[in-house]
Amino acid sequence: MRTRILPLILTLLCLMIWSKSDAKCRRTATVKYEQQYGWSKKYTVEVTFMTGYELNQATSSYDYEMYSVYAIIFWGEGQASVIKLKSYLLCGNEVTCDCINNSIYDLQGYDQDGDKWNICLSNYCY
């Protein structure tokens, strides 16, 4: 699996995510990413959803688009995939699980390396 190592940002992000419980959503999902010759195998992981506004606050940066929704998957210490979702979600400034749960289809987006991701939140994933 491809991940990008961002030690300082990830440490800050982890602390903010686990210390603040209101403005985010954590869900177990089945994820896969597109490779050169098809899709990767499926991984069942915990995904944290946040808006760019929330990510900018958590990382003390302006690296993320304010009203975009991001899916963050932590793979291990210092390793995470930050996926900007292209799926349309009505989350406003803060992500709630209601805004994520209202999605009918799998969520899709691109990570910081430009890889395409598919995030399935239902029981039936293809």
Side-chain angles (χ1 to χ4, degrees):
M1 82 193 71
R2 292 185 64 177
T3 58
R4 182 177 232 180
I5 299 174
L6 307 165
L8 179 59
I9 292 175
L10 290 177
T11 302
L12 289 170
L13 187 58
C14 288
L15 291 173
M16 292 295 292
I17 288 172
W18 284 299
S19 67
K20 186 178 177 186
S21 60
D22 54 344
K24 68 185 170 319
C25 176
R26 275 194 217 126
R27 293 279 313 274
T28 300
T30 302
V31 302
K32 60 184 178 180
Y33 61 92
E34 195 169 39
Q35 298 175 307
Q36 186 175 1
Y37 299 106
W39 289 95
S40 69
K41 73 176 191 171
K42 296 177 186 175
Y43 299 91
T44 301
V45 295
E46 186 169 287
V47 181
T48 302
F49 296 93
M50 300 175 78
T51 63
Y53 175 79
E54 293 169 302
L55 273 172
N56 286 332
Q57 285 187 322
T59 60
S60 299
S61 72
Y62 296 99
D63 295 336
Y64 305 97
E65 293 181 20
M66 297 248 318
Y67 293 104
S68 293
V69 176
Y70 294 82
I72 302 105
I73 303 168
F74 294 98
W75 300 105
E77 187 174 325
Q79 297 181 341
S81 295
V82 179
I83 303 158
K84 180 181 175 189
L85 299 178
K86 70 175 191 171
S87 303
Y88 185 71
L89 299 167
L90 297 171
C91 294
N93 279 343
E94 295 182 342
V95 169
T96 64
C97 284
D98 287 339
C99 128
I100 298 300
N101 293 340
N102 286 336
S103 176
I104 299 170
Y105 302 104
D106 291 353
L107 302 173
Q108 294 186 344
Y110 294 87
D111 69 13
Q112 60 270 44
D113 293 326
D115 295 322
K116 183 177 181 178
W117 286 79
N118 190 75
I119 301 170
C120 175
L121 299 170
S122 71
N123 294 328
Y124 303 101
C125 303
Y126 299 99

